[in-house]
Amino acid sequence: MEPPKPLPLPKTITSRIIKTRSLKTHILEAGAPNPTSNQKTRPLILLLHGFPELSFSWRRVLPLLAEQGYHAVAPDQRGFGRTTGWETATEDLHAFSATALVRDIVLLVFALGYTSVRCVVGHDCGAVTAAMCGVARPDLFRSVVLLSHPFGGMLGSGDVRDVGDGDGGAGAGKEDVHSALRARGRKHYKWYYSTPSASEDMLHGSGPEGGGGLHGFLRGYFHLKSGRWSGNRPRVLAGWCADELVQMPYYYVMPVDATMPEAVELHMREETEDGLRASREWLSDEELAVYVEEFRRTGFQGALNWYRVRTAEGGRYTWDTEVFAGRKIDVPCSFVSGKLDWGIYQEPGALEKMKDGTVCGDFREMVLLDGVGHWAPQESPKEVAQAVLRLVDSL
């Protein structure tokens, strides 16, 4: 693996490696306590990125939290970026189970010298881990903020779900969603991400017609899921069924024979340069190059293992969460996303269960940001930081 290049970071953010029993974790941090000053401790806020992202995705949020007196830390999670020590576990996917990912975060907290976390914030698949932190260790994680991926709850007593039905869990006797999608010429992205070819597909990108390999693919992927793409018009889905799922863009419910770069290219063919220019306002070419260089260096497979775990047949790698059956997030919790983010609706009913108290015992606030898509920490960092601060300052 190639050595990483220096990251283009503001002076207020530092980069270092923290060694724990599970990983050598790369973190970005702002507001770290100065042991030579009178203030030797600051409350800790952890920021967990999604896919295909990195700790770098929090570069605009970290300083805003530090300015208000917090030690803000964003790790590259297992399988991503500059964090190492997971590579030999690529085929033993138990190392990527939900409780293993929580263990990584718990060990990081103690390695940083803390015994309490004021808030754990998670975006996209990082929200899955953040929610699990709140469920499994409410004594350690005092509050939770989720972005883009609502918490749908833990499996409850007598709650039968087909693993093949995914997060929405249609359950026994209902539509075989994947067969029904195939009949409509579509497939779900999570199951594509679990295929052996997905990493190589994305590394090679969309080819010359799609704007230049990996760079062209990632530019298109980030753009299409942002608030700058005019094709994003999300709505509540009536249920986890093919007739509803096919309403989603190709980056979620793909053409059945397409790779993800090909699916992205189909939407991007009609995009204008003006549309792309708007995306460069929140993700410059220099910033995009960080993602291109990191994923070119590491590949996507470690990150894609998160999806392989959740879609494996028979719940082979998800049984560990059954010990928490029926548990809620009982610590204070908020939800933040863009109004133009399809991600908040891809698990039908989850958002409503957070709001009505079904899965959150102390739900404080829902913030849906105008003009913002899936990448709220990058598209609208000030508003994200304000939402986190409103929650933690109320504790």
Side-chain angles (χ1 to χ4, degrees), residues 45 65 68 70 118-119 143 145 332-336 364-369 382-395:
I45 297 177
L65 300 177
Q68 299 304 313
Y70 293 96
R118 185 65 60 90
C119 187
S143 65
V145 175
C333 180
S334 295
F335 184 82
V336 184
R364 298 291 182 90
E365 183 181 31
M366 179 166 296
V367 181
L368 299 181
L369 301 167
K382 182 178 179 181
E383 289 74 13
V384 169
Q386 288 173 341
V388 174
L389 290 168
R390 281 196 298 273
L391 180 61
V392 297
D393 290 347
S394 72
L395 301 179

PDB file of all heavy atoms in Angstrom, residues 45 65 68 70 118-119 143 145 332-336 364-369 382-395:
ATOM      1  N   ILE A  45     -16.336  15.147  21.760  1.00  0.00           N
ATOM      2  CA  ILE A  45     -17.358  14.861  20.753  1.00  0.00           C
ATOM      3  C   ILE A  45     -16.704  14.037  19.656  1.00  0.00           C
ATOM      4  O   ILE A  45     -15.665  14.432  19.106  1.00  0.00           O
ATOM      5  CB  ILE A  45     -17.967  16.148  20.156  1.00  0.00           C
ATOM      6  CG1 ILE A  45     -18.685  16.950  21.243  1.00  0.00           C
ATOM      7  CG2 ILE A  45     -18.928  15.809  19.018  1.00  0.00           C
ATOM      8  CD1 ILE A  45     -19.266  18.277  20.747  1.00  0.00           C
ATOM      9  N   LEU A  65     -16.830  23.089  16.462  1.00  0.00           N
ATOM     10  CA  LEU A  65     -17.069  22.504  17.784  1.00  0.00           C
ATOM     11  C   LEU A  65     -15.946  22.877  18.750  1.00  0.00           C
ATOM     12  O   LEU A  65     -16.197  23.158  19.925  1.00  0.00           O
ATOM     13  CB  LEU A  65     -17.186  20.990  17.664  1.00  0.00           C
ATOM     14  CG  LEU A  65     -18.314  20.461  16.764  1.00  0.00           C
ATOM     15  CD1 LEU A  65     -18.275  18.945  16.687  1.00  0.00           C
ATOM     16  CD2 LEU A  65     -19.685  20.929  17.257  1.00  0.00           C
ATOM     17  N   GLN A  68     -16.140  26.198  20.518  1.00  0.00           N
ATOM     18  CA  GLN A  68     -17.101  26.287  21.620  1.00  0.00           C
ATOM     19  C   GLN A  68     -16.666  25.473  22.840  1.00  0.00           C
ATOM     20  O   GLN A  68     -17.475  25.181  23.720  1.00  0.00           O
ATOM     21  CB  GLN A  68     -18.479  25.821  21.138  1.00  0.00           C
ATOM     22  CG  GLN A  68     -19.028  26.655  20.002  1.00  0.00           C
ATOM     23  CD  GLN A  68     -19.099  28.126  20.339  1.00  0.00           C
ATOM     24  OE1 GLN A  68     -19.583  28.500  21.422  1.00  0.00           O
ATOM     25  NE2 GLN A  68     -18.619  28.984  19.434  1.00  0.00           N
ATOM     26  N   TYR A  70     -15.031  22.325  22.935  1.00  0.00           N
ATOM     27  CA  TYR A  70     -15.065  20.859  22.877  1.00  0.00           C
ATOM     28  C   TYR A  70     -13.823  20.310  22.191  1.00  0.00           C
ATOM     29  O   TYR A  70     -13.221  20.964  21.332  1.00  0.00           O
ATOM     30  CB  TYR A  70     -16.323  20.385  22.131  1.00  0.00           C
ATOM     31  CG  TYR A  70     -17.586  20.691  22.892  1.00  0.00           C
ATOM     32  CD1 TYR A  70     -18.326  21.849  22.622  1.00  0.00           C
ATOM     33  CD2 TYR A  70     -18.017  19.862  23.924  1.00  0.00           C
ATOM     34  CE1 TYR A  70     -19.473  22.152  23.339  1.00  0.00           C
ATOM     35  CE2 TYR A  70     -19.166  20.161  24.645  1.00  0.00           C
ATOM     36  CZ  TYR A  70     -19.888  21.300  24.351  1.00  0.00           C
ATOM     37  OH  TYR A  70     -21.020  21.597  25.071  1.00  0.00           O
ATOM     38  N   ARG A 118     -19.324  13.275  25.382  1.00  0.00           N
ATOM     39  CA  ARG A 118     -20.482  14.169  25.459  1.00  0.00           C
ATOM     40  C   ARG A 118     -21.480  13.855  24.343  1.00  0.00           C
ATOM     41  O   ARG A 118     -22.694  13.903  24.555  1.00  0.00           O
ATOM     42  CB  ARG A 118     -20.019  15.626  25.363  1.00  0.00           C
ATOM     43  CG  ARG A 118     -21.119  16.658  25.547  1.00  0.00           C
ATOM     44  CD  ARG A 118     -21.730  16.635  26.949  1.00  0.00           C
ATOM     45  NE  ARG A 118     -20.771  16.899  27.982  1.00  0.00           N
ATOM     46  CZ  ARG A 118     -20.475  18.117  28.453  1.00  0.00           C
ATOM     47  NH1 ARG A 118     -21.063  19.178  27.944  1.00  0.00           N
ATOM     48  NH2 ARG A 118     -19.604  18.253  29.429  1.00  0.00           N
ATOM     49  N   CYS A 119     -20.964  13.542  23.148  1.00  0.00           N
ATOM     50  CA  CYS A 119     -21.866  13.207  22.036  1.00  0.00           C
ATOM     51  C   CYS A 119     -21.117  12.381  20.999  1.00  0.00           C
ATOM     52  O   CYS A 119     -19.954  12.666  20.700  1.00  0.00           O
ATOM     53  CB  CYS A 119     -22.400  14.489  21.384  1.00  0.00           C
ATOM     54  SG  CYS A 119     -23.674  14.213  20.142  1.00  0.00           S
ATOM     55  N   SER A 143     -24.964  11.337  24.561  1.00  0.00           N
ATOM     56  CA  SER A 143     -25.965  11.779  23.597  1.00  0.00           C
ATOM     57  C   SER A 143     -25.551  11.322  22.203  1.00  0.00           C
ATOM     58  O   SER A 143     -24.396  10.946  21.972  1.00  0.00           O
ATOM     59  CB  SER A 143     -26.143  13.308  23.628  1.00  0.00           C
ATOM     60  OG  SER A 143     -24.965  13.961  23.202  1.00  0.00           O
ATOM     61  N   VAL A 145     -26.211  12.147  17.859  1.00  0.00           N
ATOM     62  CA  VAL A 145     -26.766  12.871  16.724  1.00  0.00           C
ATOM     63  C   VAL A 145     -26.562  12.021  15.479  1.00  0.00           C
ATOM     64  O   VAL A 145     -25.437  11.601  15.189  1.00  0.00           O
ATOM     65  CB  VAL A 145     -26.098  14.253  16.527  1.00  0.00           C
ATOM     66  CG1 VAL A 145     -26.622  14.916  15.250  1.00  0.00           C
ATOM     67  CG2 VAL A 145     -26.365  15.155  17.724  1.00  0.00           C
ATOM     68  N   PRO A 332     -30.280  11.294  25.180  1.00  0.00           N
ATOM     69  CA  PRO A 332     -30.803  12.343  24.284  1.00  0.00           C
ATOM     70  C   PRO A 332     -30.276  12.176  22.859  1.00  0.00           C
ATOM     71  O   PRO A 332     -29.088  11.914  22.642  1.00  0.00           O
ATOM     72  CB  PRO A 332     -30.309  13.636  24.935  1.00  0.00           C
ATOM     73  CG  PRO A 332     -30.184  13.296  26.388  1.00  0.00           C
ATOM     74  CD  PRO A 332     -29.717  11.874  26.423  1.00  0.00           C
ATOM     75  N   CYS A 333     -31.179  12.368  21.898  1.00  0.00           N
ATOM     76  CA  CYS A 333     -30.849  12.082  20.502  1.00  0.00           C
ATOM     77  C   CYS A 333     -31.481  13.126  19.585  1.00  0.00           C
ATOM     78  O   CYS A 333     -32.615  13.564  19.826  1.00  0.00           O
ATOM     79  CB  CYS A 333     -31.352  10.687  20.131  1.00  0.00           C
ATOM     80  SG  CYS A 333     -31.017  10.188  18.439  1.00  0.00           S
ATOM     81  N   SER A 334     -30.765  13.530  18.550  1.00  0.00           N
ATOM     82  CA  SER A 334     -31.286  14.414  17.515  1.00  0.00           C
ATOM     83  C   SER A 334     -31.001  13.817  16.148  1.00  0.00           C
ATOM     84  O   SER A 334     -30.126  12.954  16.003  1.00  0.00           O
ATOM     85  CB  SER A 334     -30.651  15.809  17.610  1.00  0.00           C
ATOM     86  OG  SER A 334     -31.010  16.462  18.803  1.00  0.00           O
ATOM     87  N   PHE A 335     -31.732  14.303  15.143  1.00  0.00           N
ATOM     88  CA  PHE A 335     -31.521  13.860  13.769  1.00  0.00           C
ATOM     89  C   PHE A 335     -31.366  15.074  12.868  1.00  0.00           C
ATOM     90  O   PHE A 335     -32.142  16.033  12.968  1.00  0.00           O
ATOM     91  CB  PHE A 335     -32.693  13.007  13.272  1.00  0.00           C
ATOM     92  CG  PHE A 335     -32.479  12.442  11.893  1.00  0.00           C
ATOM     93  CD1 PHE A 335     -31.733  11.291  11.710  1.00  0.00           C
ATOM     94  CD2 PHE A 335     -32.995  13.082  10.777  1.00  0.00           C
ATOM     95  CE1 PHE A 335     -31.500  10.782  10.443  1.00  0.00           C
ATOM     96  CE2 PHE A 335     -32.777  12.587   9.500  1.00  0.00           C
ATOM     97  CZ  PHE A 335     -32.023  11.425   9.333  1.00  0.00           C
ATOM     98  N   VAL A 336     -30.358  15.032  11.989  1.00  0.00           N
ATOM     99  CA  VAL A 336     -30.083  16.140  11.079  1.00  0.00           C
ATOM    100  C   VAL A 336     -29.855  15.582   9.682  1.00  0.00           C
ATOM    101  O   VAL A 336     -29.179  14.559   9.514  1.00  0.00           O
ATOM    102  CB  VAL A 336     -28.818  16.925  11.512  1.00  0.00           C
ATOM    103  CG1 VAL A 336     -28.605  18.133  10.600  1.00  0.00           C
ATOM    104  CG2 VAL A 336     -28.920  17.358  12.963  1.00  0.00           C
ATOM    105  N   ARG A 364     -34.885  14.767  20.855  1.00  0.00           N
ATOM    106  CA  ARG A 364     -34.894  16.198  21.112  1.00  0.00           C
ATOM    107  C   ARG A 364     -35.265  17.049  19.901  1.00  0.00           C
ATOM    108  O   ARG A 364     -36.004  18.028  20.029  1.00  0.00           O
ATOM    109  CB  ARG A 364     -33.508  16.635  21.611  1.00  0.00           C
ATOM    110  CG  ARG A 364     -33.072  15.996  22.921  1.00  0.00           C
ATOM    111  CD  ARG A 364     -33.897  16.500  24.100  1.00  0.00           C
ATOM    112  NE  ARG A 364     -33.461  15.923  25.359  1.00  0.00           N
ATOM    113  CZ  ARG A 364     -32.525  16.451  26.150  1.00  0.00           C
ATOM    114  NH1 ARG A 364     -31.899  17.568  25.796  1.00  0.00           N
ATOM    115  NH2 ARG A 364     -32.190  15.878  27.282  1.00  0.00           N
ATOM    116  N   GLU A 365     -34.729  16.716  18.725  1.00  0.00           N
ATOM    117  CA  GLU A 365     -34.883  17.651  17.612  1.00  0.00           C
ATOM    118  C   GLU A 365     -34.676  16.938  16.279  1.00  0.00           C
ATOM    119  O   GLU A 365     -33.836  16.045  16.159  1.00  0.00           O
ATOM    120  CB  GLU A 365     -33.853  18.781  17.746  1.00  0.00           C
ATOM    121  CG  GLU A 365     -33.948  19.853  16.679  1.00  0.00           C
ATOM    122  CD  GLU A 365     -32.898  20.944  16.847  1.00  0.00           C
ATOM    123  OE1 GLU A 365     -31.787  20.645  17.348  1.00  0.00           O
ATOM    124  OE2 GLU A 365     -33.192  22.088  16.464  1.00  0.00           O
ATOM    125  N   MET A 366     -35.466  17.355  15.273  1.00  0.00           N
ATOM    126  CA  MET A 366     -35.238  16.932  13.902  1.00  0.00           C
ATOM    127  C   MET A 366     -34.980  18.186  13.068  1.00  0.00           C
ATOM    128  O   MET A 366     -35.779  19.124  13.082  1.00  0.00           O
ATOM    129  CB  MET A 366     -36.417  16.163  13.335  1.00  0.00           C
ATOM    130  CG  MET A 366     -36.199  15.743  11.885  1.00  0.00           C
ATOM    131  SD  MET A 366     -37.382  14.515  11.342  1.00  0.00           S
ATOM    132  CE  MET A 366     -36.959  13.157  12.430  1.00  0.00           C
ATOM    133  N   VAL A 367     -33.856  18.197  12.356  1.00  0.00           N
ATOM    134  CA  VAL A 367     -33.465  19.337  11.540  1.00  0.00           C
ATOM    135  C   VAL A 367     -33.299  18.861  10.107  1.00  0.00           C
ATOM    136  O   VAL A 367     -32.438  18.027   9.823  1.00  0.00           O
ATOM    137  CB  VAL A 367     -32.143  19.960  12.034  1.00  0.00           C
ATOM    138  CG1 VAL A 367     -31.779  21.168  11.173  1.00  0.00           C
ATOM    139  CG2 VAL A 367     -32.241  20.346  13.501  1.00  0.00           C
ATOM    140  N   LEU A 368     -34.127  19.378   9.189  1.00  0.00           N
ATOM    141  CA  LEU A 368     -34.005  19.082   7.768  1.00  0.00           C
ATOM    142  C   LEU A 368     -33.664  20.385   7.057  1.00  0.00           C
ATOM    143  O   LEU A 368     -34.442  21.333   7.080  1.00  0.00           O
ATOM    144  CB  LEU A 368     -35.298  18.471   7.222  1.00  0.00           C
ATOM    145  CG  LEU A 368     -35.718  17.136   7.861  1.00  0.00           C
ATOM    146  CD1 LEU A 368     -37.002  16.620   7.217  1.00  0.00           C
ATOM    147  CD2 LEU A 368     -34.609  16.093   7.745  1.00  0.00           C
ATOM    148  N   LEU A 369     -32.508  20.424   6.442  1.00  0.00           N
ATOM    149  CA  LEU A 369     -31.921  21.657   5.932  1.00  0.00           C
ATOM    150  C   LEU A 369     -32.315  21.917   4.479  1.00  0.00           C
ATOM    151  O   LEU A 369     -32.153  21.055   3.614  1.00  0.00           O
ATOM    152  CB  LEU A 369     -30.394  21.575   6.045  1.00  0.00           C
ATOM    153  CG  LEU A 369     -29.868  21.360   7.472  1.00  0.00           C
ATOM    154  CD1 LEU A 369     -28.385  20.984   7.435  1.00  0.00           C
ATOM    155  CD2 LEU A 369     -30.079  22.605   8.316  1.00  0.00           C
ATOM    156  N   LYS A 382     -21.963  24.590   9.186  1.00  0.00           N
ATOM    157  CA  LYS A 382     -22.351  25.470  10.289  1.00  0.00           C
ATOM    158  C   LYS A 382     -23.645  25.009  10.927  1.00  0.00           C
ATOM    159  O   LYS A 382     -23.758  24.940  12.162  1.00  0.00           O
ATOM    160  CB  LYS A 382     -22.491  26.908   9.783  1.00  0.00           C
ATOM    161  CG  LYS A 382     -22.842  27.903  10.871  1.00  0.00           C
ATOM    162  CD  LYS A 382     -22.915  29.323  10.313  1.00  0.00           C
ATOM    163  CE  LYS A 382     -23.295  30.332  11.394  1.00  0.00           C
ATOM    164  NZ  LYS A 382     -23.381  31.713  10.841  1.00  0.00           N
ATOM    165  N   GLU A 383     -24.622  24.666  10.109  1.00  0.00           N
ATOM    166  CA  GLU A 383     -25.919  24.230  10.632  1.00  0.00           C
ATOM    167  C   GLU A 383     -25.804  22.879  11.349  1.00  0.00           C
ATOM    168  O   GLU A 383     -26.471  22.644  12.355  1.00  0.00           O
ATOM    169  CB  GLU A 383     -26.945  24.155   9.505  1.00  0.00           C
ATOM    170  CG  GLU A 383     -27.387  25.507   8.967  1.00  0.00           C
ATOM    171  CD  GLU A 383     -26.342  26.198   8.098  1.00  0.00           C
ATOM    172  OE1 GLU A 383     -25.356  25.532   7.702  1.00  0.00           O
ATOM    173  OE2 GLU A 383     -26.521  27.395   7.804  1.00  0.00           O
ATOM    174  N   VAL A 384     -24.950  21.992  10.834  1.00  0.00           N
ATOM    175  CA  VAL A 384     -24.724  20.709  11.499  1.00  0.00           C
ATOM    176  C   VAL A 384     -24.082  20.933  12.865  1.00  0.00           C
ATOM    177  O   VAL A 384     -24.522  20.367  13.880  1.00  0.00           O
ATOM    178  CB  VAL A 384     -23.857  19.784  10.623  1.00  0.00           C
ATOM    179  CG1 VAL A 384     -23.382  18.563  11.419  1.00  0.00           C
ATOM    180  CG2 VAL A 384     -24.633  19.341   9.391  1.00  0.00           C
ATOM    181  N   ALA A 385     -23.050  21.765  12.906  1.00  0.00           N
ATOM    182  CA  ALA A 385     -22.390  22.048  14.178  1.00  0.00           C
ATOM    183  C   ALA A 385     -23.354  22.687  15.168  1.00  0.00           C
ATOM    184  O   ALA A 385     -23.351  22.350  16.364  1.00  0.00           O
ATOM    185  CB  ALA A 385     -21.187  22.956  13.945  1.00  0.00           C
ATOM    186  N   GLN A 386     -24.200  23.588  14.702  1.00  0.00           N
ATOM    187  CA  GLN A 386     -25.162  24.239  15.599  1.00  0.00           C
ATOM    188  C   GLN A 386     -26.134  23.225  16.196  1.00  0.00           C
ATOM    189  O   GLN A 386     -26.487  23.312  17.373  1.00  0.00           O
ATOM    190  CB  GLN A 386     -25.913  25.326  14.836  1.00  0.00           C
ATOM    191  CG  GLN A 386     -25.067  26.556  14.527  1.00  0.00           C
ATOM    192  CD  GLN A 386     -25.782  27.549  13.629  1.00  0.00           C
ATOM    193  OE1 GLN A 386     -26.756  27.222  12.941  1.00  0.00           O
ATOM    194  NE2 GLN A 386     -25.303  28.784  13.618  1.00  0.00           N
ATOM    195  N   ALA A 387     -26.572  22.255  15.390  1.00  0.00           N
ATOM    196  CA  ALA A 387     -27.488  21.239  15.892  1.00  0.00           C
ATOM    197  C   ALA A 387     -26.816  20.371  16.951  1.00  0.00           C
ATOM    198  O   ALA A 387     -27.422  20.038  17.979  1.00  0.00           O
ATOM    199  CB  ALA A 387     -27.994  20.373  14.739  1.00  0.00           C
ATOM    200  N   VAL A 388     -25.569  20.013  16.718  1.00  0.00           N
ATOM    201  CA  VAL A 388     -24.826  19.229  17.710  1.00  0.00           C
ATOM    202  C   VAL A 388     -24.655  20.036  18.991  1.00  0.00           C
ATOM    203  O   VAL A 388     -24.891  19.532  20.103  1.00  0.00           O
ATOM    204  CB  VAL A 388     -23.450  18.821  17.161  1.00  0.00           C
ATOM    205  CG1 VAL A 388     -22.616  18.145  18.240  1.00  0.00           C
ATOM    206  CG2 VAL A 388     -23.608  17.881  15.950  1.00  0.00           C
ATOM    207  N   LEU A 389     -24.311  21.308  18.861  1.00  0.00           N
ATOM    208  CA  LEU A 389     -24.083  22.149  20.039  1.00  0.00           C
ATOM    209  C   LEU A 389     -25.373  22.380  20.823  1.00  0.00           C
ATOM    210  O   LEU A 389     -25.345  22.432  22.066  1.00  0.00           O
ATOM    211  CB  LEU A 389     -23.467  23.481  19.615  1.00  0.00           C
ATOM    212  CG  LEU A 389     -22.030  23.404  19.104  1.00  0.00           C
ATOM    213  CD1 LEU A 389     -21.631  24.706  18.435  1.00  0.00           C
ATOM    214  CD2 LEU A 389     -21.067  23.061  20.240  1.00  0.00           C
ATOM    215  N   ARG A 390     -26.496  22.512  20.124  1.00  0.00           N
ATOM    216  CA  ARG A 390     -27.764  22.673  20.851  1.00  0.00           C
ATOM    217  C   ARG A 390     -28.040  21.472  21.735  1.00  0.00           C
ATOM    218  O   ARG A 390     -28.531  21.606  22.867  1.00  0.00           O
ATOM    219  CB  ARG A 390     -28.927  22.869  19.865  1.00  0.00           C
ATOM    220  CG  ARG A 390     -29.035  24.270  19.304  1.00  0.00           C
ATOM    221  CD  ARG A 390     -30.381  24.514  18.655  1.00  0.00           C
ATOM    222  NE  ARG A 390     -30.634  23.627  17.509  1.00  0.00           N
ATOM    223  CZ  ARG A 390     -30.245  23.897  16.273  1.00  0.00           C
ATOM    224  NH1 ARG A 390     -29.578  25.015  16.002  1.00  0.00           N
ATOM    225  NH2 ARG A 390     -30.528  23.058  15.287  1.00  0.00           N
ATOM    226  N   LEU A 391     -27.726  20.283  21.223  1.00  0.00           N
ATOM    227  CA  LEU A 391     -27.974  19.079  22.023  1.00  0.00           C
ATOM    228  C   LEU A 391     -26.997  18.982  23.187  1.00  0.00           C
ATOM    229  O   LEU A 391     -27.416  18.806  24.343  1.00  0.00           O
ATOM    230  CB  LEU A 391     -27.868  17.839  21.129  1.00  0.00           C
ATOM    231  CG  LEU A 391     -28.103  16.498  21.843  1.00  0.00           C
ATOM    232  CD1 LEU A 391     -29.520  16.434  22.430  1.00  0.00           C
ATOM    233  CD2 LEU A 391     -27.867  15.331  20.883  1.00  0.00           C
ATOM    234  N   VAL A 392     -25.709  19.105  22.912  1.00  0.00           N
ATOM    235  CA  VAL A 392     -24.733  18.877  23.985  1.00  0.00           C
ATOM    236  C   VAL A 392     -24.791  19.977  25.047  1.00  0.00           C
ATOM    237  O   VAL A 392     -24.555  19.721  26.234  1.00  0.00           O
ATOM    238  CB  VAL A 392     -23.304  18.745  23.421  1.00  0.00           C
ATOM    239  CG1 VAL A 392     -23.187  17.539  22.512  1.00  0.00           C
ATOM    240  CG2 VAL A 392     -22.859  20.005  22.682  1.00  0.00           C
ATOM    241  N   ASP A 393     -25.121  21.191  24.646  1.00  0.00           N
ATOM    242  CA  ASP A 393     -25.193  22.275  25.620  1.00  0.00           C
ATOM    243  C   ASP A 393     -26.429  22.162  26.509  1.00  0.00           C
ATOM    244  O   ASP A 393     -26.523  22.853  27.538  1.00  0.00           O
ATOM    245  CB  ASP A 393     -25.188  23.621  24.909  1.00  0.00           C
ATOM    246  CG  ASP A 393     -23.838  23.937  24.272  1.00  0.00           C
ATOM    247  OD1 ASP A 393     -22.848  23.242  24.584  1.00  0.00           O
ATOM    248  OD2 ASP A 393     -23.772  24.872  23.456  1.00  0.00           O
ATOM    249  N   SER A 394     -27.371  21.305  26.116  1.00  0.00           N
ATOM    250  CA  SER A 394     -28.585  21.126  26.910  1.00  0.00           C
ATOM    251  C   SER A 394     -28.458  20.010  27.944  1.00  0.00           C
ATOM    252  O   SER A 394     -29.352  19.832  28.768  1.00  0.00           O
ATOM    253  CB  SER A 394     -29.779  20.814  25.992  1.00  0.00           C
ATOM    254  OG  SER A 394     -29.683  19.502  25.458  1.00  0.00           O
ATOM    255  N   LEU A 395     -27.361  19.286  27.907  1.00  0.00           N
ATOM    256  CA  LEU A 395     -27.219  18.133  28.796  1.00  0.00           C
ATOM    257  C   LEU A 395     -26.936  18.562  30.232  1.00  0.00           C
ATOM    258  O   LEU A 395     -26.288  19.590  30.464  1.00  0.00           O
ATOM    259  CB  LEU A 395     -26.097  17.220  28.290  1.00  0.00           C
ATOM    260  CG  LEU A 395     -26.278  16.654  26.869  1.00  0.00           C
ATOM    261  CD1 LEU A 395     -25.079  15.796  26.475  1.00  0.00           C
ATOM    262  CD2 LEU A 395     -27.567  15.840  26.764  1.00  0.00           C
TER     263      LEU A 395
END
